């Protein structure tokens, strides 16, 4: 059995206080207003693992393990097209942006305090067929499989209207209220077959991953 807690720190540049930075739009890309958020907190991951192994008397092992990884305070990057409400919260006037007022995106980082989880099962088998007669005694199959389910992050977070936490409404608020599912490979299989004869060795590998 094992348990551990990991802490992920936000980028230092995202914690610097200051006024929003403004990049003007071009013919190929919208403008961008980046908002600093010095109140961003580290995110945490708590890991719990339970495993068992059975060793065969003839060079083999069978293993199974369960794990759970709990994510909390995930750091989310949100982007919304600038509107009058968001501009007022940022203290940005239309005169500052000119005729291109509606061609800016607002980018903002914040924490989702609610938790999400990975739940997983891992199976493994490895064997050396040394007990077989030659030339089959050097065959060695290996197999492992991983199955993962996800408890998605759900949030009812309300964004406050302030210069460091503007009311980014509309599409952004709907996105926050939806499940923020952690992207993960849900199934993975690996099969390896080793064989040697004299000074030569041969390996055949097959892999599969699915979402």
């Amino acid at each position: 059995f094992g348990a551990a807690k990991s802490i992920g720190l936000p980028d230092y540049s995202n914690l610097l206080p200051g006024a929003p930075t403004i990049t003007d739009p071009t013919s190929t890309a919208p403008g961008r207003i980046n908002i600093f958020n010095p109140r961003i907190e580290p995110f945490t991951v708590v890991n719990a693992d339970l495993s068992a192994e059975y060793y065969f008397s003839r060079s083999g092992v069978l293993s199974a393990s369960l794990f759970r990884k709990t994510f909390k305070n995930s750091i989310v990057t949100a982007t919304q097209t600038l509107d009058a409400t968001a501009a007022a919260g940022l203290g940005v006037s239309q005169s500052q942006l000119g005729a291109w007022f509606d061609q800016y995106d607002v980018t903002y980082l914040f924490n989702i305090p609610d938790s999400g989880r990975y739940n997983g099962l891992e199976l493994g088998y490895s064997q050396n067929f040394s007990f077989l007669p030659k030339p089959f005694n050097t065959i060695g199959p290996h197999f492992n499989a991983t199955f993962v389910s996800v408890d998605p992050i759900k949030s009812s977070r309300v964004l406050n209207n302030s210069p460091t936490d503007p009311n980014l409404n509309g599409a952004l608020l709907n996105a926050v209220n939806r499940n923020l599912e952690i992207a993960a490979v849900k199934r993975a299989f690996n099969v390896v077959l080793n064989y040697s004869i004299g000074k030569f060795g041969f390996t055949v590998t097959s892999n599969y991953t699915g979402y």
Side-chain angles (χ1 to χ4, degrees), residues 85-131:
T85 302
L90 294 172
V92 177
S93 65
Q94 184 168 355
S95 60
Q96 289 179 268
L97 305 178
W100 305 99
F101 180 78
D102 59 348
Q103 297 188 28
Y104 285 84
D105 288 337
V106 180
T107 300
Y108 175 69
L109 294 179
F110 58 90
N111 295 102
I112 295 291
D114 308 86
S115 298
R117 296 178 181 87
Y118 285 145
N119 308 295
L121 168 66
E122 292 182 334
L123 301 173
Y125 168 73
S126 181
Q127 181 75 59
N128 189 336
F129 290 161
S130 58
F131 52 88

Side-chain angles (χ1 to χ4, degrees), residues 135 138-142 192-205:
T138 58
I139 295 175
H142 308 274
V192 179
L193 183 64
N194 295 319
Y195 178 71
S196 63
I197 180 169
K199 295 182 178 180
F200 296 94
F202 305 90
T203 301
V204 178
T205 302

Side-chain angles (χ1 to χ4, degrees), residues 7-17 35-44 72-78 107-113 157 159 164-166:
I7 299 176
L9 299 176
D11 291 339
Y12 179 72
S13 60
N14 293 326
L15 298 175
L16 296 175
I35 305 170
F36 296 101
N37 186 2
R39 296 184 297 176
I40 288 290
E41 299 178 358
F43 66 88
T44 61
K72 188 174 178 62
N73 261 353
S74 298
I75 300 175
V76 176
T77 301
T107 300
Y108 175 69
L109 294 179
F110 58 90
N111 295 102
I112 295 291
R157 174 183 167 85
L159 303 179
T164 57
D165 197 2

Side-chain angles (χ1 to χ4, degrees), residues 121-196:
L121 168 66
E122 292 182 334
L123 301 173
Y125 168 73
S126 181
Q127 181 75 59
N128 189 336
F129 290 161
S130 58
F131 52 88
L132 294 178
K134 294 182 178 181
F136 306 107
N137 61 330
T138 58
I139 295 175
H142 308 274
F143 169 82
N144 64 69
T146 302
F147 305 90
V148 175
S149 66
V150 177
D151 296 332
I153 301 171
K154 299 180 181 180
S155 179
S156 58
R157 174 183 167 85
V158 176
L159 303 179
N160 298 321
N161 186 15
S162 72
T164 57
D165 197 2
N167 183 23
L168 303 181
N169 50 21
L172 173 58
L173 187 57
N174 292 332
V176 172
N177 288 333
R178 287 201 307 265
N179 292 350
L180 301 179
E181 181 168 347
I182 307 166
V185 173
K186 305 299 192 302
R187 298 176 299 277
F189 302 93
N190 300 287
V191 179
V192 179
L193 183 64
N194 295 319
Y195 178 71
S196 63

Side-chain angles (χ1 to χ4, degrees), residues 26-79:
T26 66
S27 58
T28 58
R32 186 170 295 276
I33 300 176
N34 293 313
I35 305 170
F36 296 101
N37 186 2
R39 296 184 297 176
I40 288 290
E41 299 178 358
F43 66 88
T44 61
V45 182
V46 176
N47 303 275
D49 302 89
L50 178 66
S51 63
E53 298 178 344
Y54 178 80
Y55 292 86
F56 301 107
S57 58
R58 295 181 177 269
S59 304
V61 60
L62 183 66
S63 64
S65 63
L66 298 171
F67 63 85
R68 167 170 278 193
K69 303 180 185 296
T70 302
F71 298 80
K72 188 174 178 62
N73 261 353
S74 298
I75 300 175
V76 176
T77 301
T79 300

